[in-house]
Each structure stands twice: as C-alpha cells, then as structure tokens.
Amino acid sequence: MAQNPLPILIGGVLQDGRGKPITSVDPAEGTPVATVAAASEEDVDLAVERAVAAQSDPAWLRMLPHVRARLLTRTAELIEARHEELAVLQSRDNGKPITETRALVASAAGTFRYVAAVLESSDERLTVPRGQYLTLSVHEPIGVVGAITPWNSPIASDAQKLAPALAGGNAVVLKPAGWAPLISLKVGEILLEAGFPPGLVSVLPGAGGTVGQRIVDHPEVGHVSFTGGTDTGRGLAASAARKLMTTSLELGGKSPTIVFDDADLDVAVNGVLYGIFSSQGQSCIAGSRLFVQRAVFDEVVARLAARADALRVGHPRDERTQMGPLITDRHRTSVEEYIGLGTAEGGKVVAGGVRPDDPALACGTYLRPTIITGVGNSSRIAQEEIFGPVLVVIPFEDEADLIAQANDTVYGLAAGVWTRDFPKAWRTARALKAGQVWINTYKQLSVATPFGGFKDSGSTREKGADAIRAYQRQKSVYVDVSGMPIPWAD
Ligand code: NAD
C-alpha cells in the first residue's frame, strides 16, 4: 500500500510542501525508503515569514547565550539517544556503510556540544580607545540565514551549519539535497523537541534551481551557507552578490595525496586507500590524485592494486562492509564514463573499473574500487572531480616536481603527505595550496579545527572557535566616559 508522503518542516510546523514530491531510494537495494512532500518556492516564502517572526521575538532575541547553549546541548543529547536509528536512516538514504554513518551521527552530536561550549565561553571585546570613551566590539545575529547542503554526509553538514547559526541567534532555513533528504527532516524534528522556538527552523527538501535559488534570492535571507559543487557555488555567489549578501562556500576538490620514497609504505598505503575509497570516494576531501616518488612507484601501485581488489564492497548495513553503493545509478554511470575517459586518455586500469560480480549486489549501484595509472596530471581524469571510487596514480621525481604537479589544479581543499622526514613533510605541507594538509594520516577531522578550501574549493571556514562569527554581524559601540559635551558644538 502506498504511504502518504512525509511532511516537511516549514517554520516549525510539520506540513506538506507544495512542490513536486521527492522519493528517497535506498541505493543498496533500489527500493524506495520514503516519499517527501517537498517544498515549493511559496513554501520558502512561508518559512522565511515564520522565521522572521520567530527570530525577532524577544523570547529568542534576548535569550542569554548560556540558555541558548542549553538548547544546543539538549540537541546533542537527543541525537545521541537516537544514534542507531539515525545511523540506519542515513545509511538507507544515501548508501553509506553503517560504520561510517555511526561516525557521522556522533560527529553531528559532537558539533552541537562543541558549539554550545564555544557559545558559553565567547567574549565580546573592549577595544583600545582614542579618547574619553569606551569602545566595544560586539556581535549580533544576521536574522534569517539559509543553509544548503549536499547528499554525501547530510547529518554532519547540517549540524555544521545549524549549530553555529542557531548559536549566533539566527533563524535557519535548511535545504538538504533531493537525493537524501530524510535525515535532515529528522534533525529538524529533534531541534523542535530540544526546545528551539517553533518557527526558528525550517527543513525544505526541494529542487536546487527553484527552492534553493529562492532561499538565496529572498530579500529577508541575510546570509547563505552552502556546501556542494563548485559550479553551483559559483552561481549561488553571483546571485548573492546582486543583493550584497555574504555567503559561506564549501565546494569541490581533487585532492593530492603524496608518497615520498622514504615513507613507511604500510602506513602510506593504508592512508591512501582510506583517503580515496572510504565513502565510495563520494567525499569532498577524497584523496583522488596520488603522487608517488619514482623509486617506489611500481611497488606502491602493486600494493595498492592488491589491497583495492581485496576491499569488501557490500551491503551498507553489513558491519564488515568497507564500500557501499554509489548514491544513484545516474551517478555511477557518470563515474564509469570517467573511467572510460581515462582509458581513452591512455590510462591503464590496474584495479577495479567494473561492477562487482556478486549477484547479491545486483540490485544496488555498486562499483569496484578503481585505480588508473599511465595518465599525466593534465588529463581530465586527474583534473576533474569524479566524486567516486577512482584513484589516479602519477609519478614524481623530486620535491619541486611534486609541488608543481600537486598545485596544478583549480581546487585546493585537502592534501596528504607520507614521509619519515619531518622537515620535508613540513616544507611540503606549507607549499601545498590546500585548506587541510594531513601528514602521515588522512581524512581525520576535529570540530575544533577550522575547515575550508583554497581556490575553487571555497573561500570561507566552518568549525573551530570562530564558527559562530560567520553567522553574526559585528557592531562597534562607543560610550562616553567624560560626561562633557563635544567642544566643537560650543
Ligand atoms: P550540488 O552542488 O549539486 O548540490 C548541493 C546543494 O545545492 C543541493 O542541496 C542542491 O539541491 C542545491 N542547489 C543546486 N542548485 C542550486 C541553486 N541554483 N541555488 C541554490 N541551491 C542549489 O552538489 P551535490 O552533488 O549535492 O554534492 C556533491 C558536491 O559537494 C561535490 O562537488 C563535493 O565535493 C561537494 N562537497 C563539498 C564539501 C566541502 O566541505 N567542501 C563537503 C561535501 C560535499
């Protein structure tokens, strides 16, 4: 029997959206998980109207930071209490292995806890005066902010925006990606349960070009925090510029991982495999371009190929699975086209390149981890973000050659360096044009550490002690302490 579409959260009210319904499909089985009564542009307008009312209500606007922090902490507790349910839902929604979605749920709870702590301990500043007055620098909410997120790690991306935006005293209109909207709706419900005033939060699944665009264009939306592809981010920034609105942009990547010939190869091979093939390569920070120093190139490639062939591609709810399915069949086709392009560019597939032959996986959108050698750094598969389990391996001669090749990309999100020589690791880390560099490890993240990209990977930072400030406006206040009139007017 067909289920009624799930309602969405419009300004704190669970009600049907008026847009085209969206069905989330479990990529492991090809079966529908749920259909959502998605938002329309009119629903954005209604959500913003309710958001303006809720945000300007003194009950919220004057709420002291330590009281607001309690709501954030309560949210963390509720996420933790529903940990397994949320991890399973996230896995069904986007196909990530359950071991990864558990970590994402824990990270979302950790984000709310950390931001609560930052909020309680953030000082305003007394600045140095140049006369008989006190000068203060204070921070105030922007008002209504938009948050637009992709499908690959929704609960973590949502938390990274919702927690600091709410901590900053704003209302938030969140638009998750169409392919995986379910977890964001759950997070919206949890925020209501935690006691955030109704109206303050909306979760509006819907089409990017209409619902997302309306959020960006709405005159009452004062800031948009976006995570997604570079082309989408560029268009969004252009729209934002028309109304002189600030944006936070976390965009795509084509991150280099680097193995010097003096590296501990066991550690390096593990790190490289995890860097590219966890999350099926559908990660902004996937280490998708591997540079290996010539002397160890053949050995590293042989080891990687053998280990990639042994990775367990399987059902995402199987605890042993290392790689689940890709998000959709269309996306898998796009990744396969890139593999075809790689061979057309002269590349050699040394691992994978095919779908798994296990009949139990035939209904899902699986693809074996794929390694390609024999193409240069200027090839399209080395330059374009594939967002799938495809690793391109390229040799380098020395540090100068390595830095030139690694930085020869429009992106600048992340990089990984493996070497036993610390001064060399440090030099390399500082020479790489990337927002995150890992030395002898990869894809380790802390909410206390700022995250963001260089170049076409983005321009702003999330996380860290300044996260809340991205959702606030700074104001300077001068207070006379002389008790005297300004002499000019005498
Ligand atoms: P996408 O750019 O297609 O979509 C991202 C979001 O933007 C979705 O919610 C989409 O509906 C919305 N959108 C699309 N057009 C819009 C418009 N005109 N106005 C407003 N919103 C619009 O990206 P995706 O396919 O969902 O995600 C994959 C991309 O995200 C990859 O490029 C990946 O690298 C990037 N990503 C970056 C980070 C990071 O932190 N830097 C993290 C995760 C993913």
Side-chain angles (χ1 to χ4, degrees):
M1 200 178 70
Q3 301 276 318
N4 284 335
L6 297 175
I8 59 174
L9 191 61
I10 305 179
V13 182
L14 280 170
Q15 62 183 81
D16 287 350
R18 290 162 282 181
K20 189 165 171 261
I22 292 174
T23 298
S24 161
V25 174
D26 182 343
E29 293 163 11
T31 48
V33 183
T35 297
V36 172
S40 66
E41 287 157 292
E42 295 75 36
D43 295 325
V44 174
D45 293 350
L46 178 58
V48 174
E49 191 185 316
R50 290 176 177 169
V52 169
Q55 198 276 332
S56 53
D57 185 333
W60 173 249
L61 206 54
R62 305 273 162 256
M63 189 182 281
L64 291 169
H66 71 283
V67 183
R68 234 186 274 149
R70 265 185 232 145
L71 300 180
L72 295 166
T73 305
R74 180 78 189 120
T75 306
E77 289 165 356
L78 291 170
I79 291 174
E80 281 158 355
R82 296 170 71 172
H83 184 262
E84 192 61 15
E85 172 204 339
L86 293 170
V88 170
L89 181 64
Q90 173 80 100
S91 173
R92 293 182 73 204
D93 212 9
N94 75 355
K96 275 199 169 181
I98 188 74
T99 46
E100 284 191 32
T101 59
R102 283 188 190 125
L104 288 174
V105 174
S107 134
T111 298
F112 277 97
R113 273 188 198 288
Y114 173 79
V115 172
V118 170
L119 177 59
E120 282 214 60
S121 55
S122 288
D123 291 332
E124 301 290 17
R125 272 199 316 134
L126 206 56
T127 58
V128 182
R130 293 260 172 145
Q132 295 306 308
Y133 42 78
L134 287 179
T135 47
L136 297 100
S137 170
V138 297
H139 295 83
E140 298 182 346
I142 291 171
V144 180
V145 304
I148 300 179
T149 52
W151 47 264
N152 62 324
S153 306
I155 191 164
S157 316
D158 293 353
Q160 268 164 236
K161 300 187 189 309
L162 287 164
L166 291 167
N170 301 284
V172 188
V173 177
L174 167 70
K175 196 205 86 62
W179 283 342
L182 301 181
I183 200 87
S184 306
L185 288 168
K186 281 282 176 234
V187 172
E189 287 176 35
I190 286 172
L191 289 167
L192 274 184
E193 197 184 330
F196 282 98
L200 211 60
V201 177
S202 293
V203 182
L204 306 180
T210 51
V211 175
Q213 191 66 47
R214 181 64 188 151
I215 293 172
V216 176
D217 292 338
H218 197 293
E220 292 287 352
V221 172
H223 177 86
V224 168
S225 176
F226 172 79
T227 298
T230 295
D231 288 344
T232 317
R234 208 187 298 281
L236 191 147
S239 301
R242 278 197 287 276
K243 55 184 236 198
L244 296 179
M245 179 178 71
T246 54
T247 52
S248 308
L249 299 174
E250 302 285 349
L251 309 177
K254 189 78 185 178
S255 299
T257 48
I258 295 150
V259 178
F260 282 101
D261 59 11
D262 60 0
D264 178 331
L265 295 189
D266 291 335
V267 173
V269 165
N270 270 13
V272 169
L273 287 169
Y274 176 68
I276 177 62
F277 295 129
S278 57
S279 308
Q280 296 80 255
Q282 300 170 140
S283 163
C284 56
I285 48 177
S288 48
R289 282 187 304 148
L290 171 63
F291 294 96
V292 182
Q293 199 155 16
R294 183 79 70 184
V296 292
F297 185 86
D298 291 344
E299 181 182 353
V300 170
V301 169
R303 284 206 204 187
L304 282 171
R307 295 281 302 280
D309 284 342
L311 287 177
R312 293 183 298 278
V313 177
H315 196 286
R317 259 78 72 207
D318 180 338
E319 304 276 339
R320 295 172 59 254
T321 289
Q322 289 165 296
M323 288 176 58
L326 301 191
I327 182 73
T328 60
D329 194 38
R330 197 172 88 203
H331 184 55
R332 176 172 62 176
T333 302
S334 140
V335 175
E336 288 172 332
E337 282 169 4
Y338 267 110
I339 296 170
L341 178 66
T343 49
E345 286 180 310
K348 183 175 164 211
V349 176
V350 297
V354 291
R355 301 176 181 189
D357 51 15
D358 180 353
L361 303 181
C363 294
T365 46
Y366 297 90
L367 192 63
R368 290 284 327 162
T370 299
I371 301 177
I372 299 179
T373 59
V375 292
N377 186 50
S378 58
S379 64
R380 278 185 58 195
I381 57 158
Q383 288 292 322
E384 295 177 18
E385 186 183 42
I386 298 173
F387 218 58
V390 180
L391 178 68
V392 180
V393 196
I394 299 165
F396 71 91
E397 304 302 332
D398 53 26
E399 270 180 74
D401 176 35
L402 176 270
I403 296 298
Q405 292 201 69
N407 283 339
D408 185 9
T409 164
V410 295
Y411 295 110
L413 194 53
V417 185
W418 281 270
T419 171
R420 287 190 172 96
D421 177 343
F422 182 73
K424 184 163 65 183
W426 181 252
R427 278 196 305 276
T428 307
R430 299 307 299 259
L432 288 166
K433 294 189 170 66
Q436 282 66 226
V437 181
W438 288 281
I439 296 174
N440 292 325
T441 186
Y442 202 78
K443 237 180 151 183
Q444 306 301 310
L445 295 163
S446 161
V447 65
T449 309
F451 179 92
F454 288 10
K455 304 197 280 183
D456 283 8
S457 293
S459 50
T460 45
R461 294 292 175 269
E462 290 196 310
K463 305 190 188 179
D466 292 334
I468 301 171
R469 295 296 186 228
Y471 297 93
Q472 292 181 317
R473 283 191 284 235
Q474 186 276 342
K475 178 180 278 181
S476 298
V477 181
Y478 290 69
V479 185
D480 175 73
V481 292
S482 72
M484 304 295 288
I486 293 175
W488 179 88
D490 284 345

